Amino acid sequence: MAEAAWDREADVVVLGLGAAGCAAAIAAHDAGADVVVLEKMPAGREGGNTRVSGGVWFDNSDPEGIASYLRALCGDFPVPEAVIEVWAQETAQNSAWVESLGARVATHGDYRPEFPELPGSEAYGGYIGVDGELGNSRLFETLTEAVRSRGIEVLLDTPGRELVRDASGVVTGVQAVSGASEGGTPLSVRARGGVVLATGGFENNPEMVRDYLQLPDSPVWGSPAGTGDGIRMAQQVGADLWHMDNMATAFGFRAEGFDSGFYVSFVFARGFIFTGMDGRRLIDEFPRGGHGHGKINGSYELYPAQPMHVVFDERTRLAGPISPPPSLLPVGWNMLVEGYEWSEDNSAEIERGWIKRADSPRELAALLDVDGDTLEETVRRYNAACAAGVDDQFHRHPRTLAPIDQPPYYAFTSAPLLGWTNGGPRRNERTQVLDPFGRVIPGLYAAGTVSSTYSWCKDGGFHIADALAFGRVAGRAAAAEAPA
């Protein structure tokens, strides 16, 4: 879009108030720039997935080793070496930088690398978080307080719509909408140094999810804000894209009346199986891996990447909530923003119809629209494996084998639940957005899940670490382009 009259001006304009956006705004301000942040969502819903995530980053005390780990995690989908080197150096600064904002940081739990056999995995030091705690928006609150304390202007309920370029092709600003949730008015904001895209992923854009991820009907885990806005804006000015087919999913389902889905993890019992839409068991329910990948048939694959029926029994139902409570995992949009409290014995969710219940596997099959003989045989064969202590189908570890033999029986269908996407505008190590010929699009930067570093596998705490690291890089780079 061509330049027009400006309503506001700043040295650096940041789109998004998540980890990457806050880091960019703080870094640009501390480099001497005048900064304005445009946040799509209204008060109480701002902050993207950072607000409802675990809010932890990984401990990087060995940049050389962790660079080797990232190369191995990329597998057959390498990212430029210069990006890896900056990632390794900058993620090593995350803890000190968060501490410089006034927070106390400490190790959380005893987390080991999810891909221990890969080179460099020994450099992965587990989780670090504000106060050594997981979730409850601690990192989000730390970052936004640092933004406020610096007097950085934040315009909530103000999504960016289009980028503005001058006659030479330099991105010079943003066309936005102020007060979008109440109808909105146009707002034109000039960026004297640059625009930083930190708008999150495209997991809430059904068309993009179908086109790039081949998931026809997946609910999302986090903020409803991630609709690919920044990606489309970057495409508008000629950006190339990278690793658009990469993602992280989990088990969960959509529930009527909620914008985001519910995450499910059987932390209190292991008497469950996954079946396909035909009622046949699909896979070892505990494959090695994590954060969107599992080792299946000898290689790491996106997992879960297809709809599945999740079947369990009364013993598992009574063992505890199948959606982890805040005492264990205080994360997720429905828990932290909507305030939903999952029942301790799952009874409320069964009564709501989210979880199907029947007196036998055959009757459960009818509710799932699968063949009764098939599901009955699936459960029988799995229970026989439990009795023998050997899973002859998928070699699930004997310690995880627990029978499904106490009626009633239960099931829900996982779509699966889409946590976040990884692809977006291609960028270089300075976070400058590139066109399909590898040329820099001047004035445009990207950080966070709008354009994450990760082309394939990723370990715990990687996304927050990436957002903080390259958010700072983007903020400094854009500030350096502002006129003195």
Side-chain angles (χ1 to χ4, degrees):
M1 184 172 180
E3 287 190 287
W6 302 107
D7 299 310
R8 293 174 184 257
E9 294 190 16
D11 293 328
V12 177
V13 178
V14 178
L15 303 186
L17 194 66
C22 287
I26 293 166
H29 173 275
D30 291 359
D34 174 39
V35 183
V36 62
V37 179
L38 310 184
E39 160 62 32
K40 176 179 183 176
M41 300 294 275
R45 300 173 74 82
E46 75 275 24
N49 284 345
T50 298
R51 184 187 188 105
V52 297
S53 74
V56 293
W57 55 97
F58 73 93
D59 183 11
N60 171 10
S61 59
D62 178 6
E64 184 175 345
I66 208 70
S68 296
Y69 191 36
L70 178 57
R71 293 185 193 100
L73 289 167
C74 291
D76 295 330
F77 308 99
V79 298
E81 189 61 26
V83 173
I84 292 176
E85 291 174 1
V86 171
W87 175 89
Q89 294 298 324
E90 286 288 337
T91 55
Q93 305 303 314
N94 281 337
S95 293
W97 183 75
V98 175
E99 283 186 324
S100 77
L101 304 181
R104 185 183 75 87
V105 305
T107 300
H108 172 76
D110 183 25
Y111 288 85
R112 306 299 174 86
E114 293 176 335
F115 306 87
E117 77 280 11
L118 296 184
S121 63
E122 65 278 1
Y124 177 86
Y127 289 177
I128 294 181
V130 175
D131 296 323
E133 298 294 334
L134 185 76
N136 279 324
S137 302
R138 286 181 178 85
L139 177 63
F140 171 72
E141 291 170 359
T142 295
L143 294 172
T144 52
E145 174 57 30
V147 168
R148 285 191 297 269
S149 70
R150 285 164 168 74
I152 297 170
E153 184 177 22
V154 177
L155 303 179
L156 299 179
D157 203 15
T158 306
R161 296 302 192 206
E162 292 186 71
L163 297 171
V164 181
R165 290 183 291 176
D166 64 16
S168 63
V170 177
V171 173
T172 57
V174 181
Q175 290 290 343
V177 177
S178 177
S181 66
E182 298 180 356
T185 57
L187 180 70
S188 179
V189 185
R190 182 187 180 197
R192 292 184 289 264
V195 173
V196 178
L197 298 175
T199 53
F202 62 88
E203 58 268 16
N204 285 276
N205 184 313
E207 183 177 14
M208 294 178 75
V209 169
R210 287 193 300 269
D211 288 348
Y212 293 114
L213 305 179
Q214 298 183 6
L215 293 177
D217 186 33
S218 282
V220 297
W221 159 83
S223 167
T227 55
D229 303 354
I231 297 170
R232 293 195 301 272
M233 283 188 275
Q235 287 181 292
Q236 168 212 347
V237 296
D240 194 17
L241 302 178
W242 67 354
H243 40 260
M244 290 294 287
D245 61 345
N246 199 17
M247 61 182 173
T249 56
F251 292 95
F253 53 81
R254 177 181 287 108
E256 186 176 353
F258 291 85
D259 290 333
S260 294
F262 284 89
Y263 168 66
V264 171
S265 178
F266 290 85
V267 296
F268 296 102
R270 300 199 168 186
F272 66 93
I273 56 173
F274 302 149
T275 81
M277 295 299 99
D278 60 358
R280 291 181 170 86
R281 189 164 164 237
L282 280 174
I283 194 172
D284 171 8
E285 288 80 8
F286 293 92
R288 171 178 282 181
H291 284 83
H293 282 78
K295 197 163 192 178
I296 301 167
N297 299 324
S299 62
Y300 285 109
E301 301 179 10
L302 292 170
Y303 173 82
Q306 58 184 308
M308 299 179 184
H309 296 312
V310 181
V311 178
F312 58 102
D313 68 354
E314 181 74 351
R315 183 187 296 108
T316 296
R317 197 271 294 183
L318 292 173
I322 66 170
S323 185
S327 60
L328 289 181
L329 194 63
V331 304
W333 187 264
N334 289 335
M335 181 188 297
L336 297 182
V337 177
E338 302 295 347
Y340 185 83
E341 297 184 14
W342 193 279
S343 62
E344 291 188 6
D345 61 359
N346 308 289
S347 59
E349 293 71 33
I350 294 168
E351 292 305 313
R352 286 172 177 264
W354 299 351
I355 300 170
K356 301 182 187 301
R357 173 175 52 194
D359 290 332
S360 69
R362 180 174 292 276
E363 291 176 13
L364 189 65
L367 299 178
L368 298 174
D369 195 27
V370 302
D371 180 71
D373 289 340
T374 299
L375 186 60
E376 193 170 64
E377 172 59 20
T378 295
V379 172
R380 185 208 65 76
R381 184 172 181 181
Y382 169 74
N383 286 337
C386 293
V390 177
D391 177 11
D392 60 350
Q393 278 187 288
F394 299 108
H395 310 291
R396 178 167 155 176
H397 197 284
R399 286 198 303 267
T400 72
L401 292 171
I404 304 172
D405 59 4
Q406 186 176 115
Y409 296 87
Y410 303 91
F412 66 88
T413 302
S414 173
L417 188 71
L418 183 54
W420 54 82
T421 58
N422 289 272
R426 189 182 299 275
R427 58 171 172 82
N428 63 18
E429 69 279 6
R430 298 188 68 237
T431 72
Q432 295 169 299
V433 175
L434 307 176
D435 74 10
F437 297 96
R439 298 175 302 210
V440 168
I441 298 174
L444 186 60
Y445 305 84
T449 51
V450 72
S451 177
S452 83
T453 299
Y454 308 118
S455 61
W456 196 232
C457 296
K458 48 271 175 191
D459 212 314
F462 266 40
H463 278 89
I464 290 292
D466 188 57
L468 294 175
F470 280 111
R472 295 194 304 271
V473 172
R476 296 194 301 259
E481 296 300 317

